[in-house]
Amino acid sequence: MARQGSGAMLASGGLGFPPQNVARVVVWEWLNEHGRWRPYSAAVCHHIENVLKEDARGSVVLGQVDVQLAPYVIDLQSMHQFRQDTGTMRPVRRNFYDPSSAPGKGIVWEWENDNNSWTPYDMDICITIQNAYEKQHPWLDLSSLGFCYLIYFSSMSQMNRQTQRKRRLRRRMDLAYPLTMGSIPKSQSWPVGASTGTPCSCPQCLLVNSTRAASNAILASQRRKLYPGAVRQSSTFAGGTLWPAGTGMPAVVAGSAAKGEGLRVAGAGFAPGQGVPSAALPGLNNLNRPGTQRGAGLGARATVPPGVPALPVKNLNGTGPVHPALAGMTGILMCAAGLPVCLTRAPKPILHPPPVSKSDIKPVPGVNGICRKTKKKQLKKSKTPEDVVRRYIQKVKNPPDEDCTICMERLVTSSGYEGVLSPRGIKPELVGKLGKCGHMYHLLCLLAMYNNGNKDGSLQCPTCKAIYGEKTGTQPPGKMEFHLIPHSLPGYTDSKTIRIVYDIPTGIQGPEHPNPGKKFTARGFPRHCYLPDNEKGRKVLKLLIVAWDRRLIFTIGTSNTTGESDTVVWNEIHHKTEFGSNLTGHGYPDPNYLDNVLAELLAQGVSEATLKD
């Protein structure tokens, strides 16, 4: 054990889920577009749990407990969060932690953003920081968790290892997250996409599964000698495990550290209660962190024998998915267990094409012009919200006895927004049916949904996402350029490439934005995106131009990557920003991308029919 004020070389890993029929802390989380699970507040989690007890297949209106979440509803049956004004759906999960961890004590760790407000850390990072704080470590290194930050407890600050920029850090007490007892349904405890059948054969999963098997086998032998009777036998060496699925990969603890050293996260940790004399870091799974999960490219695996998992090691300049210490530990464990492993160098992502001269840049065939600009949005003097709602609905005299999916009250009763809104000529008991899809809602609920949106004269059905009118967004002013370059994308060797360049400067938020009159930032511009120059690629470009003109490509909000608020972010239409590889998941080859982005454009009301208008 490390002395007070000293550090320890400690392995990070998934606590997973405690044994059955013991108390657990419940944290509800939603999945952002970068694959990170973001926790709801403790108050929201208590609200969800209360609804869950009454109806496990019902819906949760988050605005009832947090006014900032008014547009959001969680469908417990499909485990998705639905945003009523945009139609956006995101997976949610019900995650579990030890009652002695930070969420069980109501402890929240936050960092100060550029707007002098506080942003909470992901729950696993919060728990890691709290563990180090309780052990009185002077500092904590988060780099092995996919974050290039150092935490200094003496000054309560966070420092970026690359830029040396420091931010304030704080620890505050809040409502403790709810407790639950009993077994955990798999549908609620496993992240979306987790395999329950045939294991995945991708390099990342091969690495994780092989490492877990090797670790279990070797450490089982050691623990039998030290702790007789504490280890259960696995059924088979290759497929069986010594711990239930989800409890995390066992750890190797490198022993005590010298006084004054901080905590360095390196691998995976033992779960508490398993008789192992080591500290635990709940809720982590380092090899699955978004910042560390990168597979080696074909070139790096070309000399690796078939069936041997390639372990890409971090380069000296800091790029690459696996820390050298973790790679070495994994190699030792796998070799000792008789499993082959090959250490390779991780390739760097190819974000941009080779230099192109101006004379080689050509217009895209069949597309007019090479540039589109948008100016400051002028608010049109349109019809009142009441007139907009009446335009798209038909009144229903005898509504059925079913739920209004906006307020969750019965259609035969008054709207849940009665007393909140007092519109002209719309009574709380009036029910209307949308013309195209036929879904029925209280007129007052539709009015509340419209007032909470962009107020652009369009409506979107919260049930089927059908759009009425022309949907527009809140994209700030900027410029979109597009042209042809004489290089090919992976998977499209017979085609040239369409390059799109978006450029949006910083500015002041307008009345349609979250904080009118306040400055917004625009990080990472100009942004370069790529499409193949074929028939479908040119169709996507034309529709992206329509989406740009309707201000749907970007919006102003909070970055899910950095946590910065009041900044320009993507708006649910995915782009490929990696030219010559696909190490980040935003590159090629991706045979389904063009079809996927066409579906995303259609969900925003941008279809091929708009090209014929």
Side-chain angles (χ1 to χ4, degrees), residues 47-61:
H47 177 59
I48 299 174
E49 286 293 300
N50 290 335
V51 175
L52 183 67
K53 292 175 183 177
E54 297 177 3
D55 184 5
R57 293 177 175 268
S59 299
V60 186
V61 182

Side-chain angles (χ1 to χ4, degrees), residues 532-577:
D533 180 36
N534 55 26
E535 182 179 356
K536 188 173 288 187
R538 289 190 288 270
K539 180 195 298 182
V540 170
L541 173 62
K542 293 176 183 178
L543 294 175
L544 287 175
I545 293 172
V546 174
W548 172 267
D549 291 339
R550 295 183 182 179
R551 319 177 82 90
L552 295 170
I553 302 292
F554 296 96
T555 188
I556 294 177
T558 300
S559 170
N560 289 312
T561 305
T562 65
E564 181 183 12
S565 57
D566 296 302
T567 191
V568 179
V569 295
W570 293 105
N571 187 37
E572 308 300 333
I573 300 175
H574 286 82
H575 286 64
K576 292 295 188 181
T577 56

Side-chain angles (χ1 to χ4, degrees), residues 15-25 96-99 182 184 244 246-247 271-272:
L15 167 67
F17 310 108
Q20 302 287 334
N21 300 320
V22 298
R24 283 159 286 220
V25 174
F96 302 85
Y97 296 92
D98 192 277
I184 305 170
T247 57

Side-chain angles (χ1 to χ4, degrees), residues 359-526:
S359 60
D360 289 331
I361 296 177
K362 306 294 183 183
V364 180
V367 179
N368 296 327
I370 59 171
C371 180
R372 301 295 280 252
K373 294 183 179 180
T374 56
K375 299 180 180 180
K376 187 174 182 180
K377 184 172 183 178
Q378 300 295 327
L379 295 179
K380 300 178 181 179
K381 292 183 179 179
S382 57
K383 296 181 178 179
T384 65
E386 292 85 353
D387 292 334
V388 173
V389 171
R390 290 192 183 97
R391 178 181 178 184
Y392 300 118
I393 62 97
Q394 303 167 0
K395 290 185 179 180
V396 178
K397 293 183 178 180
N398 299 307
D401 187 15
E402 59 186 38
D403 285 342
C404 168
T405 57
I406 298 179
C407 70
M408 306 311 297
E409 299 291 344
R410 310 297 284 182
L411 290 173
V412 293
T413 64
S414 296
S415 166
Y417 286 92
E418 182 181 12
V420 179
L421 296 176
S422 300
R424 175 172 51 92
I426 296 183
K427 297 180 180 179
E429 64 272 11
L430 289 179
V431 173
K433 179 175 69 173
L434 289 170
K436 294 180 187 176
C437 60
H439 289 114
M440 288 180 279
Y441 309 94
H442 294 111
L443 268 64
L444 200 58
C445 293
L446 287 172
L447 182 63
M449 185 182 74
Y450 179 81
N451 285 332
N452 197 56
N454 197 28
K455 303 185 188 70
D456 58 358
S458 70
L459 275 181
Q460 186 167 19
C461 176
T463 300
C464 66
K465 302 182 186 178
I467 295 175
Y468 295 80
E470 182 179 296
K471 181 180 178 180
T472 61
T474 60
Q475 177 181 291
K479 181 171 65 173
M480 173 189 185
E481 296 180 354
F482 39 89
H483 48 251
L484 211 59
I485 57 175
H487 298 291
S488 298
L489 294 166
Y492 296 94
T493 54
D494 296 332
S495 304
K496 294 181 180 180
T497 298
I498 299 170
R499 178 166 61 185
I500 305 171
V501 182
Y502 296 110
D503 196 6
I504 295 178
T506 58
I508 304 298
Q509 298 183 52
E512 73 275 20
H513 294 136
N515 296 296
K518 189 175 183 180
K519 182 179 179 180
F520 67 85
T521 59
R523 311 290 187 191
F525 288 93

Side-chain angles (χ1 to χ4, degrees), residues 95-388:
N95 209 1
F96 302 85
Y97 296 92
D98 192 277
S100 63
S101 62
K105 298 175 181 178
I107 297 172
V108 180
W109 285 88
E110 299 172 320
W111 55 274
E112 188 178 31
N113 58 38
D114 291 338
N115 298 313
N116 298 320
S117 57
W118 296 91
T119 302
Y121 287 94
D122 291 357
M123 187 54 69
D124 52 359
I125 300 299
C126 174
I127 292 174
T128 304
I129 296 174
Q130 177 63 21
N131 284 347
Y133 177 82
E134 291 178 351
K135 293 176 175 57
Q136 300 184 23
H137 292 294
W139 54 267
L140 172 65
D141 185 354
L142 297 178
S143 59
S144 293
L145 300 180
F147 300 93
C148 57
Y149 297 112
L150 286 171
I151 303 296
Y152 294 101
F153 294 109
S154 58
S155 60
M156 290 296 283
S157 63
Q158 165 193 286
M159 186 185 76
N160 188 309
R161 295 169 65 96
Q162 296 177 351
T163 65
Q164 303 299 307
R165 181 180 181 183
K166 288 188 176 182
R167 295 179 183 270
R168 287 198 300 165
L169 182 77
R170 78 174 182 181
R171 174 181 181 269
R172 67 176 180 85
M173 298 300 298
D174 198 356
L175 180 68
Y177 279 81
L179 284 172
T180 188
M181 298 283 292
S183 60
I184 305 170
K186 278 190 176 182
S187 62
Q188 294 177 350
S189 62
W190 284 94
V192 173
S195 174
T196 57
T198 304
C200 178
S201 59
C202 72
Q204 294 92 334
C205 293
L206 281 174
L207 169 62
V208 174
N209 294 332
S210 298
T211 304
R212 180 178 291 118
S215 302
N216 282 340
I218 296 172
L219 293 174
S221 176
Q222 296 174 350
R223 293 180 66 202
R224 288 190 199 102
K225 298 176 182 178
L226 296 174
Y227 309 101
V231 181
R232 293 182 294 151
Q233 297 290 335
S234 59
S235 56
T236 62
F237 172 74
T241 60
L242 299 171
W243 289 272
T247 57
M249 188 171 63
V252 174
V253 181
S256 303
K259 184 177 182 179
E261 290 188 358
L263 180 68
R264 187 177 301 279
V265 180
F270 283 104
Q274 294 182 328
V276 181
S278 64
L281 298 181
L284 300 182
N285 191 348
N286 188 43
L287 290 176
N288 287 331
R289 291 292 305 169
T292 58
Q293 187 180 12
R294 303 282 190 268
L298 292 175
R301 296 199 305 266
T303 59
V304 180
V308 178
L311 181 59
V313 184
K314 181 178 291 186
N315 296 320
L316 294 178
N317 62 2
T319 61
V322 182
H323 193 279
L326 177 59
M329 182 190 74
T330 304
I332 292 171
L333 290 172
M334 294 180 70
C335 291
L339 297 175
V341 64
C342 180
L343 302 183
T344 66
R345 285 293 182 187
K348 296 180 181 179
I350 303 173
L351 299 178
H352 302 289
V356 180
S357 64
K358 290 186 178 180
S359 60
D360 289 331
I361 296 177
K362 306 294 183 183
V364 180
V367 179
N368 296 327
I370 59 171
C371 180
R372 301 295 280 252
K373 294 183 179 180
T374 56
K375 299 180 180 180
K376 187 174 182 180
K377 184 172 183 178
Q378 300 295 327
L379 295 179
K380 300 178 181 179
K381 292 183 179 179
S382 57
K383 296 181 178 179
T384 65
E386 292 85 353
D387 292 334
V388 173

